[in-house]
């Protein structure tokens, strides 16, 4: 919807109300868990819509451009999960050890159907990344060449 209607109703030469701007650089948190379950994988989790959108990445997340990783979307996790580390007991869902592999903030840069572009400030992950939906639960996770 934007701010067009708000602005159309006001003459900013005559009112001291703010013209306003759409803030797109809101910082959000992300975490990557290294999860040694029956199969080792990394869980990428991005704070979006009040939850952690989550993807299981079977290989180490890309640190350089040109590496494509499969990322399988899994159920949203609560924001509290950001700080979780520990051992999930044998027989329970995801049994195994969960460690924080990387953590930091990110800016959402572009959100389209099937495409999420974001810029990351973590310890291991830095710069521009993209998630591209390829079908079903499958996405591609890659580092962008330009790190805007
Ligand atoms: Mn997992």
């Amino acid at each position: 919807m934007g701010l067009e209607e708000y602005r159309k109703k006001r003459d900013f030469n005559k009112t001291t109300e703010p013209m306003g701007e759409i803030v797109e650089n809101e910082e959000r948190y992300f975490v990557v868990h290294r999860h040694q379950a029956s199969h080792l994988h990394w869980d990428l989790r991005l704070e979006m819509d009040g939850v952690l959108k989550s993807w299981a990445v079977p290989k180490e997340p890309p640190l350089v451009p040109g590496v494509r990783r499969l990322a399988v979307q899994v159920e949203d996790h609560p924001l509290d999960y950001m700080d979780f580390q520990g051992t999930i007991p044998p027989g329970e869902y995801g049994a195994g050890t969960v460690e924080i592999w990387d953590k930091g903030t990110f800016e959402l840069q572009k959100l389209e159907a099937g495409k999420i572009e974001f810029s990351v400030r973590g310890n291991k992950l830095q710069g521009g990344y993209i998630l591209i939906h390829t079908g079903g639960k499958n996405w591609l996770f890659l580092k962008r060449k330009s790190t805007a």
Side-chain angles (χ1 to χ4, degrees):
M1 198 174 169
L3 295 174
E4 283 109 82
E5 190 179 342
Y6 171 89
R7 286 177 177 160
K8 206 159 39 175
K9 290 178 175 170
R10 291 166 175 82
D11 181 345
F12 294 100
N13 294 316
K14 295 179 179 161
T15 177
T16 58
E17 291 170 292
M19 258 180 83
E21 57 185 302
I22 296 170
V23 177
E24 286 174 338
N25 62 348
E26 183 196 350
E27 276 200 325
R28 303 153 184 260
Y29 290 93
F30 83 95
V31 67
V32 179
H33 285 115
R34 184 181 185 277
H35 188 179
Q36 179 64 72
S38 51
H39 295 280
L40 173 64
H41 62 275
W42 285 256
D43 289 302
L44 168 68
R45 308 191 194 281
L46 304 178
E47 180 187 355
M48 291 171 73
D49 305 327
V51 294
L52 295 174
K53 295 284 172 194
S54 297
W55 291 262
V57 183
K59 291 183 181 171
E60 190 173 88
L63 299 172
V64 292
V67 180
R68 289 163 170 246
R69 292 291 188 238
L70 170 68
V72 180
Q73 189 164 16
V74 297
E75 76 276 21
D76 296 346
H77 279 51
L79 291 183
D80 295 5
Y81 211 87
M82 182 78 65
D83 297 313
F84 177 75
Q85 294 198 87
T87 301
I88 301 170
E92 296 304 308
Y93 181 73
T97 55
V98 178
E99 315 170 316
I100 293 174
W101 182 80
D102 199 16
K103 191 178 173 181
T105 58
F106 74 100
E107 281 176 20
L108 210 47
Q109 295 179 318
K110 201 184 268 184
L111 186 58
E112 296 169 1
K115 199 174 182 189
I116 304 170
E117 287 184 37
F118 54 106
S119 178
V120 168
R121 264 179 244 101
N123 290 316
K124 295 190 172 88
L125 302 186
Q126 302 260 352
Y129 279 82
I130 186 162
L131 280 160
I132 300 166
H133 190 209
T134 57
K137 294 180 173 189
N138 292 349
W139 295 64
L140 277 178
F141 178 36
L142 39 118
K143 185 167 166 63
R144 302 199 322 253
K145 285 197 181 82
S146 67
T147 56

